[in-house]
């Protein structure tokens, strides 16, 4: 009798595990098809924002950032990007097309350089830009995942007026005749054991 009950318990447990594994497989497929997308994430950051606000005041700082937004945000949208967040002195955007993302980055630097040529040097706008491409988890307008974190870390390694892209973004854009990229080198970023190219 005892052996029969043990076999029944094992059969029920095995059936439950099989059901759970089937359900997990079905849910994984739903996550892959509905909530995971390959995208390029771009982060920008305005250089000298804190100093500008400290020396010029809140109203002047707000007007300075509005000028930045007036130049940068239309360029993101014009290249098919979506602004996901404006974080004080920076922007986070997503692009479904990597080439469009990198072209937007180039146009942002060109647009700011054009503005800087005709403005007082004390009011010049300079940004650092970082981009990374990969599979991200998308839930409405909220995105998350390692790709986002790495894009943010890459941006912090860029110098003023520089665009740094990850190796995965480079692999997506290297065939474009409109973009010229060169190896910057490897950088160590927080949260990664190996340096990133």
């Amino acid at each position: 009798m005892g052996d029969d009950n043990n076999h029944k318990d094992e059969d029920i447990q095995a059936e439950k595990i099989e059901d759970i594994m089937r359900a997990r497989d079905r849910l994984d497929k739903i996550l892959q098809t509905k909530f995971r997308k390959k995208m390029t994430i771009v982060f920008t950051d305005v250089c000298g924002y804190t100093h500008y606000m400290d020396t010029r005041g809140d109203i002047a700082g707000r007007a300075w950032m509005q000028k930045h937004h007036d130049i940068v945000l239309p360029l993101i949208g014009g290249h098919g990007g979506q602004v996901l967040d404006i974080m004080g002195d920076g922007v986070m955007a997503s692009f479904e097309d990597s080439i469009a993302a990198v072209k937007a980055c180039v146009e942002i630097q060109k647009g700011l350089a054009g503005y800087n040529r005709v403005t007082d040097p004390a009011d010049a706008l300079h940004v650092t830009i970082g981009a990374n491409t990969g599979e991200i988890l998308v839930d409405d307008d909220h995105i998350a995942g390692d790709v986002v974190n790495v894009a943010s870390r890459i941006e912090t390694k860029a110098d003023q007026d520089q665009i740094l892209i990850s190796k995965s973004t480079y692999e997506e854009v290297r065939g474009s005749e409109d973009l010229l990229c060169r190896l910057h080198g490897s950088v160590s970023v927080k949260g990664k054991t190996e340096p990133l190219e």
Side-chain angles (χ1 to χ4, degrees):
M1 189 83 170
D3 285 344
D4 287 344
N5 284 339
N6 286 342
H7 287 301
K8 285 180 184 176
D9 288 345
E10 288 173 7
D11 289 344
I12 291 169
Q13 189 174 13
E15 188 175 316
K16 287 180 183 177
I17 289 173
E18 288 172 1
D19 290 343
I20 291 169
M21 295 308 287
R22 285 187 195 104
R24 178 184 173 188
D25 186 48
R26 186 173 46 79
L27 292 173
D28 283 345
K29 286 177 182 170
I30 291 169
L31 282 170
Q32 286 296 330
T33 57
K34 291 191 176 185
F35 297 103
R36 288 192 73 81
K37 289 185 180 178
K38 187 173 188 178
M39 300 185 95
T40 298
I41 304 301
V42 171
F43 278 85
T44 73
D45 189 66
V46 176
C47 303
Y49 172 73
T50 303
H51 177 72
Y52 193 94
M53 292 288 282
D54 285 347
T55 57
R56 305 293 287 275
D58 291 343
I59 293 173
R62 181 69 185 260
W64 191 57
M65 286 308 300
Q66 187 60 55
K67 179 51 74 176
H68 166 270
H69 296 345
D70 290 345
I71 295 167
V72 172
L73 301 187
L75 293 171
I76 291 170
H79 285 82
Q82 180 181 1
V83 174
L84 300 172
D85 198 4
I86 297 174
M87 306 152 292
D89 60 343
V91 174
M92 179 174 89
S94 65
F95 294 80
E96 291 189 13
D97 182 277
S98 299
I99 293 174
V102 177
K103 285 183 178 180
C105 295
V106 172
E107 291 302 314
I108 287 168
Q109 295 293 24
K110 285 181 179 178
L112 293 173
Y115 166 76
N116 291 340
R117 281 193 291 276
V118 297
T119 196
D120 186 311
D123 294 318
L125 282 161
H126 300 278
V127 298
T128 56
I129 301 178
N132 187 32
T133 302
E135 294 280 330
I136 62 169
L137 191 61
V138 180
D139 184 12
D140 293 326
D141 289 337
H142 179 73
I143 65 167
D146 189 55
V147 172
V148 177
N149 296 335
V150 169
S152 175
R153 303 285 193 267
I154 289 171
E155 177 275 316
T156 66
K157 299 297 181 177
D159 292 328
Q160 178 176 293
D161 303 325
Q162 187 176 43
I163 303 163
L164 290 182
I165 64 173
S166 66
K167 184 177 181 180
S168 61
T169 303
Y170 170 73
E171 293 296 334
E172 295 284 318
V173 304
R174 69 180 180 168
S176 172
E177 295 179 5
D178 299 332
L179 296 170
L180 178 62
C181 301
R182 61 185 164 83
L183 181 64
H184 174 73
S186 296
V187 294
S188 296
V189 296
K190 183 179 172 184
K192 293 289 178 186
T193 54
E194 297 293 325
L196 302 175
E197 285 187 49

